[in-house]
Amino acid sequence: MDVLRTPIVWIGKRCYRKSYIEATSNRNCSEEDATLDAQICDNYSDETCDVGISIESKGNGYHAFVKCPNVFFGLIIGKRGAMKKKIESETRTQIQIPRHGQDGDIEIFGIDRTGVGSAHTRITVLIGTARHRQPFTHFISIPVVNPSIQAKFEEFKEEVLQNCQGEEGIDNTLFQNRNKLHITIGTLTLLDDAEIAKASNLLEECCTQLTRLLALFSLL
């Protein structure tokens, strides 16, 4: 569809522009994404930077962990294990991924520290790219509980229903319940319990910091 020439839909006396939105679902990434993700992986085939990556000594080599929701395990494995084998071969590492249905981190082993860092970077890039293809699962909002705003909302709703009486698609179900009014300030893609817990903890920290700042301003 040409986004500059979207279809026009008339409903009664009102004209709407129909935008195309591709339907998505929270799905496991696996063989369907193999071709695209192989190309992404190739872009980082010479990546050697391990700044910010926690790499520890283990026996005669090194190892590192990559936090990864289990929906992306199939992506890292690839079609018939091709992606995993490719990364292992080119970085001279071994990659251990939890079994299907299990949660846990991806572990990378290697004799060469640079190789472990490179494998870690490639897997992180693959996960980050795939995450952008996932739908949002949560949103952050501020409830609108001010009685004056809720009253104005009710007045607006009644005015619309009265002025547009009889118009197709204009009825009471078009409006949100006044007790559920909110302002959405952000959307999130959280794919497992660990990510949900981390987001919840960060919000609690933000709330604590904001409360302290407001208390300081009140003293000025």
Side-chain angles (χ1 to χ4, degrees):
M1 174 182 290
D2 187 345
V3 296
L4 299 179
R5 296 181 176 85
T6 55
I8 301 299
V9 179
W10 286 88
I11 300 179
K13 298 180 181 180
R14 290 176 171 77
C15 178
Y16 299 89
R17 192 180 299 274
K18 184 178 180 181
S19 298
Y20 173 74
I21 300 177
E22 182 179 359
T24 59
S25 60
N26 189 349
R27 61 183 177 84
N28 291 337
C29 298
S30 55
E31 297 183 1
E32 298 177 3
D33 305 299
T35 301
L36 174 61
D37 296 315
Q39 295 172 354
I40 295 170
C41 186
D42 287 340
N43 291 335
Y44 290 83
S45 59
D46 297 324
E47 179 63 55
T48 58
C49 179
D50 59 9
V51 176
I53 300 175
S54 178
I55 301 176
E56 300 178 355
S57 298
K58 184 175 183 179
N60 295 325
Y62 300 88
H63 75 150
F65 294 92
V66 181
K67 291 190 177 298
C68 178
N70 60 22
V71 296
F72 296 135
F73 289 166
L75 168 74
I76 307 304
I77 295 171
K79 186 176 182 179
R80 298 178 182 176
M83 179 61 72
K84 177 174 176 288
K85 293 176 182 176
K86 175 182 175 67
I87 298 175
E88 288 178 326
S89 174
E90 295 180 354
T91 61
R92 293 175 296 176
T93 58
Q94 292 182 337
I95 301 172
Q96 290 189 357
I97 300 174
R99 294 181 179 276
H100 178 72
Q102 294 182 343
D103 295 322
D105 297 337
I106 295 174
E107 189 170 5
I108 306 168
F109 298 93
I111 297 176
D112 180 54
R113 179 186 177 92
T114 300
V116 173
S118 180
H120 188 288
T121 297
R122 297 193 202 187
I123 292 173
T124 301
V125 170
L126 288 172
I127 294 170
T129 303
R131 184 179 290 276
H132 287 297
R133 300 200 290 264
Q134 294 288 322
F136 295 120
T137 59
H138 298 73
F139 66 92
I140 303 172
S141 66
I142 300 175
V144 179
V145 296
N146 186 291
S148 177
I149 296 178
Q150 292 180 336
K152 289 294 183 181
F153 170 76
E154 288 293 338
E155 292 178 12
F156 169 73
K157 181 177 74 172
E158 293 301 325
E159 183 177 347
V160 171
L161 293 176
Q162 182 176 358
N163 294 337
C164 301
Q165 189 174 8
E167 293 286 350
E168 183 178 354
I170 306 296
D171 57 33
N172 192 61
T173 60
L174 186 65
F175 298 90
Q176 176 63 278
N177 185 313
R178 63 177 292 170
N179 295 319
K180 295 182 179 180
L181 290 177
H182 63 272
I183 300 173
T184 300
I185 59 176
T187 51
L188 305 170
T189 300
L190 306 175
L191 301 176
D192 59 18
D193 291 339
E195 292 188 346
I196 293 173
K198 183 177 180 179
S200 178
N201 291 336
L202 287 173
L203 286 173
E204 290 290 346
E205 291 178 11
C206 289
C207 182
T208 301
Q209 293 177 9
L210 286 173
T211 301
R212 291 174 181 172
L213 288 174
L214 291 173
L216 289 174
F217 280 117
S218 65
L219 297 175
L220 297 179

